[in-house]
Amino acid sequence: MKSFIEYEENSDFSIYNIPFGVGIFSDDEIACVTRIGDTVINLAVLYDQGYFDEFNLGENVFEAFTLNEFISLGKSVTVPVREHIQKLLLEGSELSKDEETQLEAFHNIEKVSMQLPVHVPNYTDFYSSIEHATNVGKMFRDPDNALLPNWKHLPVGYHGRASSIVVSGTPIYRPKGQTMPPNADKPVFGPSQRLDFELEMAFITNSYTDLGETISTTEAEDHIFGMVLFNDWSARDVQKWEYVPLGPFLAKNFGSSISPWIVTLEALDPFRVNGPEQEPEVLPYLKYEGKKNFDIHLQTLIQPENGEENLICTSNFKYMYWNMAQQLAHHTVNGCNLEVGDMYASGTISGKTEDSFGSMLELTWSGSKPLKLNDGSERKFIEDNDTVIMRGWCEKDGIRIGFGEVSGKILPAKD
Amino acid sequence: MKSFIEYEENSDFSIYNIPFGVGIFSDDEIACVTRIGDTVINLAVLYDQGYFDEFNLGENVFEAFTLNEFISLGKSVTVPVREHIQKLLLEGSELSKDEETQLEAFHNIEKVSMQLPVHVPNYTDFYSSIEHATNVGKMFRDPDNALLPNWKHLPVGYHGRASSIVVSGTPIYRPKGQTMPPNADKPVFGPSQRLDFELEMAFITNSYTDLGETISTTEAEDHIFGMVLFNDWSARDVQKWEYVPLGPFLAKNFGSSISPWIVTLEALDPFRVNGPEQEPEVLPYLKYEGKKNFDIHLQTLIQPENGEENLICTSNFKYMYWNMAQQLAHHTVNGCNLEVGDMYASGTISGKTEDSFGSMLELTWSGSKPLKLNDGSERKFIEDNDTVIMRGWCEKDGIRIGFGEVSGKILPAKD
């Protein structure tokens, strides 16, 4: 496939991707968009010019602040619409000859302010990397019994805060909170001293289900529109003190950052791989067939104020022990209902090697082995004015698609 | 104060209450409403008839599916609007002589289908009763160290699932899930065998705050529109197996039931009482002045299919160790942002005596001391087709206001 829009060979936004997002243009107009190379395409304009007339999209579904309405049309609509957009962007297409529409609909990415792509009614965070769960268990609990007894029987997860999910580029204030210093007899209050990232990915659902309804592992992917990169910022010192017995709370809900482009499951389809063997055998409702893991290369980088990017972690989404179909089947097996735009994060994605760990907690082993940056400084955790960048992409047989990046700068705690 | 609308002396919906809800009428119209005695009053009709002309309410804010827009106007508007409604309902008022408007706006409660009063963007559940936390700690963990070290230093809380909050009267399917039977070597799957209620109350916020913004205990009540009764249904067997280390998940997110009438903090004001002494001393951001607890009588009843109501628990909201101002100050101290309509539940409200425990887990001491019902049957936990009813009211100096009830029937697990 070759597009009439030129882009660099290593672009995440090749003709094979066709992701969805929401952008604000220089005239303050907002619309649903897609992207190829560095060109952002206003889908509301294509709609107005009749390019979606063959679909039953009702009113201009792309003239919206979020993708929720489009996503809610379900895969029977969104899959052919995406394929149609892909064809429109090929050499020789009707759009390739329609300079008037191009002039109105095409914008350079530098001129577009990308927004949160969906309104997120509910956010769940899983804990599905066996390497991450083992590392944290060793440090927070018992080195000899790092993995708790339930971990291999169900995809452990918990509810997070939807209100504080922000789009890439939004700065985050260092949170203040209660912590219990080592050997202290009472807690203290102040800015977190152990501010961390978590390298995650998240999937977004496209349907409303009824209370009491369940979704099988076979059906699950029909309910998943696509994925984003997800940085689950975490204050480790707050977390350690507050998290018993009901789980993380203020240690996490001060902000979570996502990449602005939702890459569809259909774009990711060529990059499916087998998941790890699950032993002991899982209960029947968690069994699945086929390749449900995805080979997505992941990186985390730290960029100090006015400094260079430092690659500090290289991981891969294929390492996940529990896949998305299992996560969604588990989440609904009790009848919990889904909503359109819900976000389900993977949990920190760590691999087996020390350079693949998806958090500072693991990379520096709780601060005991600081990382050295290019400028000679050290990091045990994230410092004020550091920017944390995560990137993700798939590559195979000369075809590349990707997520771009999610970045966030840590500002000093507010007075 | 005397209303021109008659009601029984023991009505929760006296002239002193003036709660807010959302109702559907027999002609399928939906609107924001208030209630006095058994009379539901369509506020959108009063608006159309000019009764709110002195307020700057913009478009008809009561012609809505939820109260969110009205609530978002803030106390500087909602407090005088409520007082105005109260005056309209007094003997001799303009409305008392306007039979045409009465005919259009007044409905008997039997003819109104009450809806979820707000759209809930975020839901948090606290754990603020020291008696409940102690009881659960004894049963789930260590009888000698029931209260975890952080409990008296911060109001422990966690995020719950907003999508599955339903209004009183909505039936709930018994959830299925994974549990680990005693002495078993692997988990089993099936309908929960230990289905429970939790007697709670919840407050609802009226503002959007920015990420990074904090709310002090002094400011907190300005952000609280009012309260409802809250039943945090819980599957104890699922909870026990799943909850480490990230907290309750499927054990809770299959459904939470709330009462349909939001009683404002202003209506509750005469029933303020001092909270319990907090020892050890709390950190400065959790200190507060004045009476922040409320004397609200609470009851839980079980009604078997075609049977009588059985009073099984008598508690009081005044027992709470942590008050709402402290909960909100804690929740935002890290910069977590609020949204209009957010729901913040108290956690199970247990008192010191055995008949005041707010869950079957505590009342039957984990099933070891079954309750006897009027019909001679026993209950260790909630059985299929049982209806659980919670009621709450305040009474002082001859004045009574209340919440009505939240009820929910448990249906057998879906096939």
Side-chain angles (χ1 to χ4, degrees), chain A residues 221-247:
Chain A
E221 290 185 350
D222 292 338
H223 295 267
I224 300 175
F225 177 72
M227 300 185 69
V228 292
L229 300 169
F230 194 99
N231 181 353
D232 177 25
W233 298 100
S234 300
R236 299 301 177 192
D237 41 0
V238 174
Q239 184 178 355
K240 187 157 187 176
W241 172 233
E242 75 169 1
Y243 92 105
V244 283
L246 300 181

Side-chain angles (χ1 to χ4, degrees), chain B residues 6-268:
Chain B
E6 290 189 12
Y7 55 86
E8 294 188 18
E9 204 179 342
N10 67 348
S11 173
D12 281 355
F13 304 100
S14 70
I15 184 69
Y16 298 95
N17 194 343
I18 318 295
F20 291 90
V22 172
I24 295 181
F25 309 105
S26 44
D27 59 358
D28 279 348
E29 208 187 326
I30 187 166
C32 302
V33 293
T34 188
R35 174 176 177 178
I36 190 155
D38 288 340
T39 303
V40 174
I41 297 155
N42 182 333
L43 296 171
V45 171
L46 298 196
Y47 180 102
D48 283 339
Q49 296 303 322
Y51 281 102
F52 296 110
D53 282 358
E54 65 191 272
F55 298 97
N56 195 358
L57 298 182
E59 300 265 317
N60 192 338
V61 74
F62 298 119
E63 205 173 272
F65 290 80
T66 68
L67 283 159
N68 291 57
E69 196 185 334
F70 173 63
I71 290 176
S72 76
L73 298 172
K75 295 231 175 187
S76 65
V77 175
T78 59
V79 171
V81 165
R82 176 178 161 274
E83 287 168 358
H84 180 69
I85 295 169
Q86 198 169 44
K87 282 183 195 139
L88 289 177
L89 295 171
L90 289 179
E91 279 186 340
S93 75
E94 193 185 342
L95 180 60
S96 74
K97 298 160 194 161
D98 180 355
E99 288 188 14
E100 200 174 325
T101 298
Q102 290 181 30
L103 207 65
E104 199 185 341
F106 291 13
H107 301 258
N108 187 283
I109 182 68
E110 299 294 332
K111 299 268 177 69
V112 183
S113 164
M114 293 303 297
Q115 305 299 301
L116 208 60
V118 283
H119 166 71
V120 183
N122 304 279
Y123 154 47
T124 291
D125 193 21
F126 286 97
Y127 188 58
S128 290
S129 153
I130 195 166
E131 289 81 7
H132 171 68
T134 305
N135 288 337
V136 173
K138 283 182 186 172
M139 282 181 274
F140 269 43
R141 287 177 296 273
D142 177 358
D144 299 324
N145 292 289
L147 223 49
L148 288 164
N150 58 17
W151 200 92
K152 285 188 170 180
H153 294 284
L154 55 88
V156 170
Y158 67 104
H159 298 296
R161 180 83 181 180
S163 71
S164 52
I165 295 176
V166 297
V167 73
S168 178
T170 310
I172 301 281
Y173 291 98
R174 177 178 297 272
K176 293 191 278 195
Q178 266 195 48
T179 58
M180 179 64 98
N183 309 316
D185 63 350
K186 60 183 183 185
V188 298
F189 179 79
S192 168
Q193 301 299 306
R194 295 163 75 90
L195 182 54
D196 202 354
F197 61 83
E198 292 196 321
L199 170 62
E200 306 197 11
M201 299 199 68
F203 67 84
I204 292 157
T205 50
N206 64 9
S207 59
Y208 294 97
T209 61
D210 291 329
L211 266 188
E213 190 177 337
T214 59
I215 295 173
S216 69
T217 57
T218 308
E219 299 160 329
E221 290 186 350
D222 292 339
H223 295 267
I224 299 176
F225 177 72
M227 301 184 70
V228 291
L229 300 169
F230 194 100
N231 182 352
D232 178 24
W233 299 100
S234 300
R236 299 301 177 191
D237 41 359
V238 174
Q239 185 177 355
K240 187 157 188 174
W241 172 233
E242 75 169 1
Y243 92 105
V244 284
L246 300 180
F249 184 49
L250 300 194
K252 303 270 195 177
N253 66 17
F254 59 92
S256 312
S257 304
I258 67 167
S259 55
W261 296 101
I262 308 180
V263 176
T264 64
L265 274 204
E266 291 67 41
L268 294 166

Side-chain angles (χ1 to χ4, degrees), chain A residues 153 163 178 250 253 334 337, chain B residues 153 163 178 250 253 334 337:
Chain A
H153 293 283
S163 71
Q178 267 194 47
L250 300 193
N253 65 17
N334 69 342
N337 57 334
Chain B
H153 294 284
S163 71
Q178 266 195 48
L250 300 194
N253 66 17
N334 68 341
N337 58 333

Side-chain angles (χ1 to χ4, degrees), chain A residues 308-323:
Chain A
E308 287 173 23
E309 292 180 358
N310 295 261
L311 178 65
I312 57 161
C313 157
T314 302
S315 188
N316 196 304
F317 188 58
K318 73 181 176 189
Y319 298 150
M320 303 309 291
Y321 188 86
W322 296 101
N323 60 53

